[in-house]
Amino acid sequence: MRALVYVVIGGILLSGCGGDGSDSSADGSGSVSKINGTVDTISYTALQLSVNGHELDASDSDVSYNGQTFNFDFVTTGMQVEVSNQNDIAQEIVLKPIVTGAVSALSADSITVNGITFNFSASGVEVGDWVMLFARLHPDNTWSVTSLNQINPLLNAEIEGVLTGVDQNGTRTALLGTVLVDYSNATIEDDRALENGMWVEIYGLFSNGRFVAFSIDIKDPQDFNGLEFEGVVTWVSDDKTLFEVAGYLLVNINSNTVFDDGTANNLQAGAIVELDLVQSGSSLIATKVDFEDQVVAPDNLEFKVEGEARFSNGVVSINGIPFEVNTGTRFDDGLTLNNLDGSWVELKGKNINNQLVLKVIEPESRDNEISLEGPVENNTLWGYSSLDNSLATFNGQWVDIECSRNGNVLTLCRLDLN
């Protein structure tokens, strides 16, 4: 899906638009819900569009991107939008691109904007043109472009994604993917300190291989309370009670969660889902999960490690293997950074290009049975080796296994078929 649309935009200073998923009343006649999803169909003559299966009347709706208003005919299929909806009447359509900026490189099957390369054939675009690009994040951390729209240059560009390599006290730089972000003079939402694992929207200018940030918005769970949200499942816990959508949003299910076109067993990386979300404490609960489609996901995405934890300088290790704790890591059942060192725990997370991203740390019983998921090499897995060479059977494979344990020595390793 591809659209190239020209629109005149005057000089504007972009500011962040943190989402607010709470219901409100527009005129006292009914509540306003918010839908975050992809435009599936659109009729410019009837002034209607469909998002997440909702057929919406947009005849009186404003279309905006960071305070700038657009005509309805700028909206195209494949755009990610957040719609304020009352009784199937769209009151406001907010555009949610992944990047906005100048094209710096093109090939037959790729486009680079703000230092981020997308696999996409962008006909009709030249290096130097400004574009607004919409995409879905897949489980392997690649983007699937759903819409590309050409615009006149803006004062500021935008990039969005998860932060790593945050240097708070020195250069005040961070990485968003492979892009170096200089936030030394940026205004940060609520004056918060940036942390590894935060999903952010960054506004500024890309120059000389770095993105110089002017303002940064941080996405938090409370932004999604009461929101209907669409995205690709990018990680699932082995017990199917916790999953990640769109690369950053951790969502819980419980006994009251309703499933449409599937069950909890269909929760797997690559599933495209529509979620009704509510906040409970610091967690998001899916009251409804609607399965829409499935994209290809790698087999070696999820990992699981059990053992005695050591914690120092923001890094937790088991058997000397380090795992970084960041703001996206969740601690369960009373575990904290203060009582983590020396505890017997289970670590769960996702493997992205051989980078092990921790999602959950929870206490585990120290007994003679152990459950592990990951890569087996030379009869070892996560620092454990098998006395009877039962691990060697899986050399070169990414497996989910159960074994008997005596210290760091395993026996009777077999596939976990549950």
Side-chain angles (χ1 to χ4, degrees):
M1 292 179 285
R2 177 170 69 248
L4 297 178
V5 181
Y6 293 83
V7 59
V8 176
I9 303 179
I12 58 173
L13 180 65
L14 299 186
S15 60
C17 59
D20 179 5
S22 59
D23 287 350
S24 60
S25 178
D27 56 9
S29 61
S31 64
V32 177
S33 62
K34 288 196 175 180
I35 305 167
N36 189 309
T38 303
V39 177
D40 297 316
T41 63
I42 192 164
S43 171
Y44 300 112
T45 55
L47 296 178
Q48 294 178 338
L49 77 164
S50 63
V51 181
N52 294 2
H54 298 273
E55 298 292 337
L56 303 172
D57 177 355
S59 55
D60 293 322
S61 176
D62 292 326
V63 179
S64 65
Y65 170 69
N66 290 302
Q68 178 70 23
T69 301
F70 299 85
N71 293 327
F72 179 70
D73 59 10
F74 179 67
V75 181
T76 61
T77 57
M79 282 184 169
Q80 279 74 51
V81 297
E82 186 169 287
V83 183
S84 297
N85 166 44
Q86 185 179 32
N87 300 324
D88 291 333
I89 297 175
Q91 297 185 332
E92 183 178 17
I93 302 169
V94 179
L95 306 179
K96 309 293 284 187
I98 291 299
V99 298
T100 300
V103 177
S104 57
L106 283 169
S107 71
D109 56 4
S110 70
I111 180 172
T112 302
V113 185
N114 298 336
I116 304 173
T117 299
F118 300 86
N119 293 326
F120 184 71
S121 178
S123 60
V125 176
E126 298 179 357
V127 171
D129 289 343
W130 272 65
V131 296
M132 188 180 289
L133 185 147
F134 300 79
R136 286 192 180 117
L137 188 68
H138 282 206
D140 61 357
N141 227 34
T142 62
W143 292 98
S144 173
V145 177
T146 57
S147 182
L148 181 73
N149 304 73
Q150 192 165 347
I151 59 176
N152 284 351
L154 306 176
L155 290 179
N156 293 332
E158 176 189 356
I159 57 176
E160 180 175 336
V162 66
L163 291 178
T164 60
V166 176
D167 181 357
Q168 295 182 2
N169 302 315
T171 60
R172 290 179 65 82
T173 59
L175 290 173
L176 193 149
T178 60
V179 179
L180 181 66
V181 177
D182 178 352
Y183 66 93
S184 55
N185 294 307
T187 299
I188 301 174
E189 183 180 7
D190 297 329
D191 294 323
R192 293 166 61 181
L194 296 183
E195 299 179 44
N196 290 330
M198 281 182 169
W199 190 279
V200 293
E201 296 171 344
I202 305 177
Y203 302 90
L205 290 175
F206 185 74
S207 178
N208 297 321
R210 66 170 53 196
F211 198 91
V212 180
F214 299 155
S215 65
I216 300 176
D217 282 355
I218 302 167
K219 289 191 175 181
D220 292 312
Q222 60 264 29
D223 298 332
F224 298 86
N225 184 33
L227 188 70
E228 181 179 312
F229 185 82
E230 178 209 52
V232 179
V233 175
T234 45
W235 173 81
V236 185
S237 67
D238 55 348
D239 60 4
K240 306 288 188 180
T241 62
L242 180 70
F243 62 101
E244 178 191 75
V245 182
Y248 67 94
L249 197 63
L250 282 178
V251 179
N252 298 263
I253 66 169
N254 58 27
S255 59
N256 296 319
T257 302
V258 176
F259 292 91
D260 193 7
D261 295 326
T263 68
N265 290 330
N266 297 105
L267 275 176
Q268 55 185 300
I272 301 175
V273 294
E274 294 173 4
L275 310 171
D276 290 345
L277 299 172
V278 295
Q279 188 174 5
S280 176
S282 60
S283 300
L284 280 175
I285 307 293
T287 59
K288 182 180 179 181
V289 179
D290 186 0
F291 294 95
E292 294 298 308
D293 206 346
Q294 178 77 32
V295 300
V296 176
D299 294 330
N300 62 342
L301 182 67
E302 291 140 11
F303 71 83
K304 180 172 55 180
V305 190
E306 186 180 326
E308 185 173 297
R310 293 300 173 194
F311 179 72
S312 178
N313 297 322
V315 175
V316 58
S317 62
I318 290 180
N319 297 335
I321 300 171
F323 303 85
E324 182 179 295
V325 177
N326 61 40
T327 190
T329 305
R330 196 175 87 169
F331 293 82
D332 281 351
D333 299 328
L335 273 179
T336 68
L337 292 178
N338 294 328
N339 61 18
L340 179 59
D341 191 59
S343 298
W344 193 268
V345 299
E346 184 175 66
L347 311 180
K348 299 176 182 178
K350 56 192 287 192
N351 170 42
I352 299 297
N353 300 323
N354 296 320
Q355 292 185 346
L356 304 174
V357 181
L358 273 181
K359 291 299 174 185
V360 181
I361 304 177
E362 58 188 19
E364 185 57 77
S365 299
R366 191 194 300 250
D367 55 31
N368 294 329
E369 294 293 320
I370 193 169
S371 179
L372 304 166
E373 184 174 4
V376 179
E377 298 292 343
N378 300 320
N379 194 39
T380 63
L381 174 57
W382 303 127
Y384 297 98
S385 60
S386 63
L387 182 65
D388 57 0
N389 286 324
S390 55
L391 269 180
T393 306
F394 307 108
N395 279 343
Q397 300 179 46
W398 191 283
V399 294
D400 186 356
I401 62 170
E402 293 180 331
C403 305
S404 297
R405 183 186 69 85
N406 184 3
N408 278 12
V409 178
L410 309 180
T411 56
L412 302 176
C413 293
R414 64 276 184 194
L415 292 176
D416 185 354
L417 302 179
N418 293 330

